[in-house]
Amino acid sequence: MHLGLGAFARAHTAVFTENAMLAAGESGWGITGVTQRSDTVARQLAPQDGLFTVAERGEGAAPLRVVSSIVDAISGRDNPAAVVDRIAAPEILVVTLTITEKGYRINPQTGSLNTADEEVSADLGGRAPLTAIGQIARGLQQRSRTGAGPLTVVSCDNLPGNGELTEKLVHAFAAALPAAEAEPLTAWLDANVTFPSTMVDRMVPATTAGDLDAVERELGLRDEAAVVAEPFMQWVIEDNFAAGRPRWEEAGALFSSDVAAWEAAKLRLLNASHSLLAYLGLAAGKETISDAVAEEAFFTAARRMMAEDVLPTITLPEGLDADEYCAQVLTRFANPALGHTTAKVGSDGSQKIGLRLLSTVRGNLDAGREPRWAALAVAAWMRHVAATPMAELDDPLAAELHVALPVSRSAADVVPALLGCRSVFDPELAEHAGFADLLIHWYSIIDTHGLDGLRKEINHG
Ligand code: CS2
């Protein structure tokens, strides 16, 4: 079962699962996909029996491929009871999820489930659940009552410790139920469900109308559910399964006891520089990540952020070569055929900044160093927030961020105002004068001197 049947899941999880079956000679696995907020993908896949094309783009791209590991797709919004029934079905042994950062509905202050969230509290109130954590908890509750046996929940989102986090949230949901339900469910979860952490990697842009036309020309068939992706893909998984699973290792997935280090490296090197390039690119009118990284100064900023700010603050997993990894990340960003937009990567910044950049900022400040490049990324995000009308800001906290914004949009006013947003910055960081100064410095360069000013400052920095 997969919750969050977006383009990423089709280009990553579904491909790994099919490859695993092919390599291991097993044909018994299949994925029931659940769309969360919109039913589009479920509607696209239904008339195609779940089949869809993966079109790799860029150097080393494989020929078009039709993937058949998705056997069923449910719209979670329209059929919430079906989702619960399916999680409770004995033949379901694994629930994977890609619901994006905001899909977890975390209270940023406590780091646990936001039970005050309207949707979460409605799920707790007993309706057929619509949130992913509600779907999992209610599905497992039904499973516990029908004796359907153990199951593994595998988060595949870009969050540190995504397994432990998901476990914490599902347990928090269970604990918030009336005691007569909470106690047996918690005990059953402890004995029957594991939540391994994973690191996933593949750049998958949103499919465009042009992509669908190109696939149609190449394939000779119209595929409404086609996805495009870079050739590269990676999956590192903690080996902690409560029940059976596809032999993903046969498809190149790495089972590791050091997922945390893999995730930190990926999040703080790749995703952080992705965000940096997205916000610099948006400020400079660059539509895609490949356009942004083609700007020499932006390339330099990303390279130096990884080398000077990130690498000194993380411990790489065994087998990962820092120089090779950083160079490969920049080459992947430069893939001109991918069309990964700065707007897409720049979306949901309030949910991404903390995970991707602020740990690096803290690590440097604690060691008495200046997080110069990571601060540039945060300042560029702030500029993006302040320069984008609220209705156009693609972020679940758009309203909260805009309420915080002062009338004056100068660096000296905007930076402290946004640093005051407790959903993004903790008080210690917000009150760090050196960090605020760095942000004001970069913000005013972007704001008053534009691309030329940035070029000069980055190249002389
Ligand atoms: C990107 C990621 O949209 C974003 O925020 O940084 O989706 C990125 O493309 C993937 O994590 C790559 O594995």
Side-chain angles (χ1 to χ4, degrees):
M1 184 112 185
H2 185 88
L3 307 183
L5 193 55
F8 181 82
R10 277 170 287 159
H12 188 273
T13 327
V15 172
F16 264 103
T17 299
E18 180 163 88
N19 285 353
M21 287 194 284
L22 291 171
E26 291 177 350
S27 56
W29 294 98
I31 301 170
T32 292
V34 177
T35 58
Q36 298 295 122
R37 279 158 302 153
S38 135
D39 65 347
T40 311
V41 179
R43 273 194 294 108
Q44 289 166 337
L45 284 171
Q48 306 184 174
D49 293 335
L51 299 175
F52 63 94
T53 309
V54 175
E56 291 187 2
R57 298 286 184 233
E59 217 181 296
L64 285 192
R65 145 146 194 216
V66 176
V67 176
S68 60
S69 52
I70 296 181
V71 293
D72 195 7
I74 306 177
S75 161
R77 192 194 60 196
D78 300 333
N79 301 296
V83 176
V84 172
D85 289 346
R86 197 61 70 89
I87 294 178
E91 67 269 25
I92 297 296
L93 298 180
V94 183
V95 175
T96 47
L97 51 153
T98 49
I99 54 172
T100 79
E101 296 85 350
K102 65 183 171 217
Y104 288 81
R105 297 178 191 266
I106 299 167
N107 174 336
Q109 259 103 54
T110 63
S112 188
L113 187 67
N114 185 2
T115 46
D117 176 287
E118 266 176 36
E119 300 293 329
V120 173
S121 78
D123 284 359
L124 281 167
R127 72 170 181 191
L130 292 179
T131 67
I133 298 299
Q135 291 165 334
I136 296 171
R138 290 296 188 186
L140 294 176
Q141 185 177 35
Q142 187 167 317
R143 206 174 168 94
S144 72
R145 289 168 175 163
T146 54
L151 170 153
T152 310
V153 177
V154 186
S155 164
C156 302
D157 282 291
N158 294 316
L159 298 147
N162 52 13
E164 290 140 55
L165 174 72
T166 308
E167 178 168 28
K168 175 157 92 175
L169 300 176
V170 171
H171 276 263
F173 188 99
L177 293 170
E181 289 181 64
E183 281 159 26
L185 177 54
T186 304
W188 189 86
L189 290 173
D190 284 338
N192 291 281
V193 186
T194 56
F195 297 82
S197 280
T198 65
M199 182 276 267
V200 295
D201 193 4
R202 187 170 215 186
M203 289 178 216
V204 183
T207 314
T208 64
D211 292 327
L212 295 183
D213 292 346
V215 167
E216 183 172 4
R217 283 193 299 274
E218 286 175 63
L219 189 67
L221 289 168
R222 182 76 184 171
D223 177 359
E224 294 294 343
V227 289
V228 295
E230 64 170 338
F232 181 95
M233 59 176 195
Q234 193 176 30
W235 198 4
V236 183
I237 312 172
E238 188 185 353
D239 198 357
N240 176 25
F241 282 71
R245 60 165 176 81
R247 288 169 62 183
W248 288 309
E249 63 274 38
E250 304 266 348
L254 177 69
F255 280 80
S256 165
S257 54
D258 202 12
V259 175
W262 282 98
E263 180 63 18
K266 194 252 169 175
L267 203 57
R268 298 209 216 165
L269 292 165
L270 184 151
N271 292 110
S273 27
H274 223 189
S275 292
L276 169 69
L277 290 166
Y279 298 121
L280 289 176
L282 286 164
K286 312 275 186 197
E287 205 184 321
T288 62
I289 294 292
S290 59
D291 288 344
V293 79
E295 169 61 48
E296 208 187 316
F298 296 174
F299 177 94
T300 302
R303 186 180 53 72
R304 292 189 64 175
M305 181 175 77
M306 291 194 276
E308 296 168 27
D309 291 356
V310 182
L311 287 176
T313 54
I314 57 174
T315 306
L316 292 178
E318 209 173 303
L320 191 71
D321 179 89
D323 293 343
E324 222 173 88
Y325 187 79
C326 297
Q328 185 194 42
V329 161
L330 291 167
T331 307
R332 288 169 58 198
F333 289 160
N335 181 348
L338 201 58
H340 210 176
T341 62
T342 48
K344 172 92 195 314
V345 178
S347 67
D348 294 351
S350 67
Q351 314 291 299
K352 295 174 178 170
I353 291 292
L355 306 173
R356 298 177 178 197
L357 291 154
L358 297 183
S359 339
T360 296
V361 168
R362 272 187 217 102
N364 282 284
L365 294 176
D366 289 349
R369 285 187 305 260
E370 220 180 38
R372 182 167 167 74
W373 307 104
L376 168 59
V378 178
W381 168 69
M382 288 182 160
R383 171 68 181 13
H384 173 66
V385 169
T388 310
M390 189 179 96
E392 286 164 36
L393 188 64
D394 190 355
D395 193 305
L397 296 189
E400 183 180 333
L401 294 168
H402 267 262
V403 165
L405 282 174
V407 180
S408 147
R409 292 294 156 90
S410 73
D413 293 316
V414 171
V415 168
L418 289 180
L419 276 174
C421 279
R422 283 291 158 271
S423 306
V424 182
F425 300 97
D426 62 54
E428 201 188 329
L429 204 52
E431 278 146 31
H432 194 289
F435 181 46
D437 287 346
L438 267 176
L439 292 173
I440 292 173
H441 167 77
W442 282 119
Y443 189 108
S444 57
I445 291 174
I446 303 170
D447 203 39
T448 52
H449 304 286
L451 183 53
D452 278 341
L454 269 172
R455 278 191 187 124
K456 265 189 215 127
E457 187 62 24
I458 291 170
N459 291 331
H460 297 153

